[in-house]
Amino acid sequence: MIDTYMMYLPELLRGAGITVQVLLLSAVFAFIFAFIAGLGRVSRFWIVRFLMGALVELFRGTSLLVQMFFFFFALPAFGMELSPFAAGVLALSLNYGAYASEVVRGAILSVPSGQTEAGIALNMTRWQRMRLVILPQAFRLMLPGFGNNAIELLKGTSLVSLVTLADMTFQARILKDNYTGDQVEIFTLLLLLYFVLALPLIFGARWLEKRAARGVAAR
């Protein structure tokens, strides 16, 4: 039994490298998009709030898999051809960034209005109040949500196998086709590898939740 698992492990680990690359790159772009969209949704300009709100709801209200298929299969019809890696990262970034933008917006709105009033009393501009007063407090509240979002993002990376990117799930499907009698071993090993990759994110999210709770209690 151990020999069987060890036989499949190298191929799955090769796919794990792709999975980690997709995860890290998607997390960075999702974080950037979340901040842009989250700040846009609390803008004083209605057109910015409307456009950011429409963009967020578009990606929250449609399937991640369909978005991935659209970027990979449909965009070439408009003269924009993406590699499987680029299509997967783009879809994951926009989808999970849209959900994370609600974390950003909610955290900003949860900062007591007295903090804004204090900034006005100190003759700060709106940008100075946001940068120096509101965001430092709101960021602490965002951390648990970002941690949970990262865990969900890792699980979502398995969908990139459906646009032919050779991640762990893709490698497992290839092994399953070649070794039809060992499906249990292959997918058990795949399950364990995803769990091992998720463990740092799980513990990190719990640590951030405790850190944020202590910060809120201190305030």
Side-chain angles (χ1 to χ4, degrees):
M1 180 68 72
I2 299 297
D3 291 340
T4 303
Y5 285 119
M6 294 305 295
M7 181 175 67
Y8 299 132
L9 186 59
E11 290 298 322
L12 293 178
L13 287 178
R14 190 175 297 114
I18 302 296
T19 296
V20 171
Q21 290 178 48
V22 171
L23 171 65
L24 294 177
L25 203 56
S26 298
V28 170
F29 288 130
F31 181 83
I32 294 171
F33 177 63
F35 258 89
I36 294 173
L39 290 172
R41 297 201 70 183
V42 296
S43 171
R44 60 179 171 173
F45 302 108
W46 73 267
I47 187 64
V48 175
R49 294 195 305 272
F50 174 79
L51 291 175
M52 286 295 103
L55 192 62
V56 166
E57 296 308 327
L58 171 65
F59 288 105
R60 289 178 67 202
T62 53
S63 164
L64 171 59
L65 181 58
V66 174
Q67 292 166 21
M68 208 171 288
F69 282 168
F70 179 84
F71 291 137
F72 186 63
F73 294 112
L75 278 187
F78 301 95
M80 299 173 60
E81 188 166 348
L82 298 180
S83 67
F85 187 89
V89 168
L90 181 60
L92 288 165
S93 301
L94 293 174
N95 187 275
Y96 285 95
Y99 282 100
S101 72
E102 288 298 288
V103 175
V104 174
R105 184 176 72 92
I108 290 173
L109 294 178
S110 69
V111 175
S113 58
Q115 301 293 317
T116 301
E117 294 167 1
I120 294 173
L122 293 172
N123 202 30
M124 289 182 174
T125 65
R126 182 180 176 86
W127 170 240
Q128 287 176 324
R129 295 196 303 271
M130 180 64 72
R131 181 170 57 90
L132 300 175
V133 179
I134 298 174
L135 280 181
Q137 299 179 62
F139 189 71
R140 184 187 296 116
L141 303 175
M142 298 175 199
L143 293 178
F146 283 154
N148 292 328
N149 216 256
I151 296 170
E152 293 299 319
L153 178 57
L154 170 62
K155 293 186 285 186
T157 59
S158 62
L159 294 177
V160 300
S161 65
L162 298 175
V163 290
T164 70
L165 188 60
D167 71 325
M168 283 198 302
T169 303
F170 184 88
Q171 296 290 1
R173 289 167 55 204
I174 296 297
L175 289 172
K176 184 263 295 181
D177 292 338
N178 293 334
Y179 304 94
T180 55
D182 292 335
Q183 296 183 30
V184 173
E185 291 84 353
I186 292 169
F187 287 104
T188 299
L189 189 56
L190 178 65
L191 194 69
L192 291 173
L193 287 174
Y194 269 110
F195 181 66
V196 168
L197 289 178
L199 277 177
L201 301 177
I202 292 170
F203 288 121
R206 288 180 181 173
W207 182 80
L208 291 174
E209 287 174 9
K210 292 178 181 177
R211 185 75 179 265
R214 286 200 299 267
V216 172
R219 286 198 296 141

